[in-house]
Amino acid sequence: MPHYTPPTYAPFFSPTPERAGVPAASAVPLPAAPASSRITLAEAVQECLANDPQIRAGAESVTQAQAELWTASLPPNPTVDTGNSLFPLGRSFTVSHQGGPPQFDVGVSFPVDWLIFGKRSTAIAGARAGVDAAAAEFADLVRQRIAATIAAFYDVLESEALLALAQQDSESLHRLQHITEELVQIGGAGTIETDRVRVVVLDSERDVRQREADVGVAKAALLAQIGRNAPEEDFDVDGELAVPAPTAPVSSEDAFRVAQEVRPDLVALRLRVGQAEDEQRVEMARAFPDVTPRFGYTRQFQDEAIGFPDESSYGVSVDFSLPVFDRNQGNIAKARSEVAQSREMLRGKLVQVRSEIAQASRDYRFAYDSITSDAPRRIEAARNARDKIEAAYRLGGRPLIDLLDAERSFRDTQRLDAQDHAAYWKSLFQLDAAVGREILR
């Protein structure tokens, strides 16, 4: 196989401690990651690159394109024909009954139209463009799989954070139930309030069980994403949702300009346009005649037939087709249509990418505003309100319904904060993935 190395594409993911709270990842390709029971985001991406069946299958498309380049670069094989002819049928040839004489022929032919009309060079150019496009498409597959792995990783962190909050809420409600039972014993509250708290406690226990199931589902999805066949009970992630230094949003137009240059699927479509144009030139070259020179050797056996010495001779000829009817019109028309089709696909993809980046930019800006505006003050206010109402309830100054509302408000505020932090990380990496490289620094 001729040596041809297609261009490589750097992945958009390069985590730093400031961005994701994990060790920095090396560039692709990465070695196989150890199957540890607790992994960081960088290790999860590393395992995905090393083990994901979709990535392994996608890599074969590059190998297949290189094989097609190999085929296109090979010149045609020469043809050898040989045979004996003019043997007598029945009696032998004599001077009085002449025929033949018998002869042996051998010839070699080799087509040269691929060289004269540039058929081979145009085919090589098209196949090389196909290798480059396959490499870009594989890089885009890697981009998508990394993005999905990161989203699955933060889904696990989010579900675990919500589980921890549900467990804290259940413990708080159990404490409230104990306080209410003590108030009932001393006559500070009615028995109906005990039943009301019991219902809320049972709901919180159900919520804990639901959150535990959500954690299992999220872990199973991440395990499938990184290509690891293991039970989710023996697996966990090492990371946090805290955002030490939020990154300011960027303009969606700036992001789109960068994406047009580096995003692998756009690069692949441009290469496919070039490949289609090369294929059109290939089909136009195939309209030229087939030209095949021939060189032959002949040995005539005359001695026995007519008494003359045996003699050798040679012959030269050229065979060529006459493109009168079939001038490859259909394939040329098809190739022109494929050029137009590939250009329209590129234009359509540009529209889609612009919309995708605009949506990702809006999602990130919303997440950024959510964790940098009033989220800390909102949690503190909800905590203070709950603590004050709980203290008043202990003294009999506030009804149970007020305390339950305060507990619910504080719980909802905490959940919203955890979801906002998870949305921040997922939208950050989603915007990077939409652009095709790290743009939020």
Side-chain angles (χ1 to χ4, degrees):
M1 179 182 296
H3 178 73
Y4 176 70
T5 302
T8 57
Y9 302 86
F12 74 89
F13 175 72
S14 56
T16 62
E18 292 77 12
R19 297 188 82 214
V22 294
S26 58
V28 176
L30 294 171
S36 59
S37 59
R38 187 176 181 86
I39 63 172
T40 64
L41 176 59
E43 291 169 343
V45 172
Q46 185 178 352
E47 281 201 46
C48 174
L49 294 172
N51 304 325
D52 182 22
Q54 292 192 36
I55 291 180
R56 288 178 173 270
E60 294 302 322
S61 63
V62 180
T63 302
Q64 293 164 14
Q66 289 175 325
E68 291 177 357
L69 172 59
W70 189 4
T71 299
S73 65
L74 297 174
N77 292 321
T79 302
V80 176
D81 58 273
T82 182
N84 292 319
S85 60
L86 301 178
F87 285 108
L89 182 62
R91 58 186 178 180
S92 300
F93 297 139
T94 63
V95 175
S96 58
H97 294 89
Q98 295 185 10
Q103 64 184 44
F104 168 75
D105 300 287
V106 59
V108 178
S109 60
F110 184 66
V112 296
D113 50 282
W114 58 271
L115 180 62
I116 297 174
F117 303 119
K119 296 180 180 180
R120 177 171 174 265
S121 59
T122 53
I124 291 175
R128 183 176 289 113
V131 175
D132 293 343
E137 289 167 352
F138 173 66
D140 188 62
L141 172 63
V142 171
R143 176 187 69 88
Q144 296 178 37
R145 299 303 291 172
I146 289 177
T149 299
I150 293 172
F153 183 90
Y154 280 104
D155 283 342
V156 175
L157 284 180
E158 180 182 5
S159 62
E160 289 182 338
L162 294 176
L163 172 59
L165 290 175
Q167 292 171 337
Q168 294 173 12
D169 180 58
S170 181
E171 293 173 0
S172 176
L173 290 174
H174 276 91
R175 187 178 70 254
L176 177 59
Q177 183 180 24
H178 180 68
I179 295 172
T180 303
E181 290 172 349
E182 290 180 346
L183 289 175
V184 170
Q185 290 177 359
I186 63 176
T191 56
I192 189 173
E193 293 190 349
T194 304
D195 295 333
R196 182 178 294 171
V197 173
R198 185 178 296 115
V199 170
V200 177
V201 168
L202 292 174
D203 287 342
S204 71
E205 292 174 348
R206 180 182 181 278
D207 187 47
V208 169
R209 292 192 296 272
Q210 180 62 55
R211 298 297 179 185
E212 290 174 343
D214 292 342
V215 170
V217 171
K219 287 183 178 180
L222 178 58
L223 284 168
Q225 196 68 42
I226 64 178
R228 188 189 292 192
N229 186 11
E232 61 268 16
E233 294 83 2
D234 302 331
F235 170 78
D236 204 357
V237 298
D238 182 9
E240 57 183 22
L241 294 178
V243 183
T247 304
V250 298
S251 166
S252 61
E253 286 301 315
D254 291 341
F256 179 64
R257 280 193 291 271
V258 175
Q260 291 182 82
E261 299 175 0
V262 302
R263 184 157 151 161
D265 53 346
L266 293 178
V267 175
L269 284 173
R270 291 193 188 92
L271 290 169
R272 290 298 183 192
V273 172
Q275 183 186 16
E277 292 171 345
D278 288 334
E279 290 296 333
Q280 180 180 342
R281 286 188 283 271
V282 169
E283 297 300 337
M284 294 176 67
R286 286 174 180 167
F288 289 103
D290 299 331
V291 180
T292 308
R294 299 178 183 274
F295 176 81
Y297 166 79
T298 299
R299 179 68 174 178
Q300 291 181 309
F301 304 102
Q302 306 177 111
D303 183 52
E304 293 185 5
I306 56 177
F308 295 134
D310 297 344
E311 292 292 341
S312 297
S313 60
Y314 71 91
V316 177
S317 64
V318 177
D319 295 339
F320 57 89
S321 62
L322 293 177
V324 177
F325 304 108
D326 183 1
R327 297 187 298 278
N328 208 29
Q329 299 97 318
N331 287 331
I332 292 174
K334 179 182 177 182
R336 287 173 178 163
S337 175
E338 289 175 347
V339 170
Q341 183 183 50
S342 61
R343 288 173 177 167
E344 292 301 324
M345 290 177 65
L346 175 58
R347 280 194 283 268
K349 190 65 175 181
L350 285 170
V351 173
Q352 178 184 340
V353 169
R354 180 187 288 275
S355 174
E356 182 181 339
I357 290 178
Q359 181 62 46
S361 296
R362 284 192 293 269
D363 291 344
Y364 178 74
R365 186 175 295 276
F366 178 79
Y368 176 83
D369 292 340
S370 296
I371 67 170
T372 57
S373 56
D374 58 350
R377 294 192 299 272
R378 186 173 62 242
I379 293 178
E380 186 64 23
R383 180 184 291 108
N384 291 337
R386 183 202 62 176
D387 293 344
K388 291 176 181 178
I389 294 176
E390 181 177 334
Y393 176 71
R394 286 175 180 269
L395 299 175
R398 298 297 292 266
L400 176 63
I401 188 65
D402 288 351
L403 180 55
L404 291 177
D405 286 342
E407 287 281 357
R408 184 180 301 108
S409 177
F410 179 63
R411 179 170 65 251
D412 291 344
T413 302
Q414 286 183 305
R415 286 200 191 106
L416 183 61
D417 183 67
Q419 291 169 343
D420 284 345
H421 280 74
Y424 171 85
W425 287 116
K426 287 190 280 189
S427 62
L428 180 147
F429 285 110
Q430 184 58 43
L431 181 55
D432 282 350
V435 172
R437 82 172 189 196
E438 182 183 322
I439 193 171
L440 296 171
R441 301 182 183 276

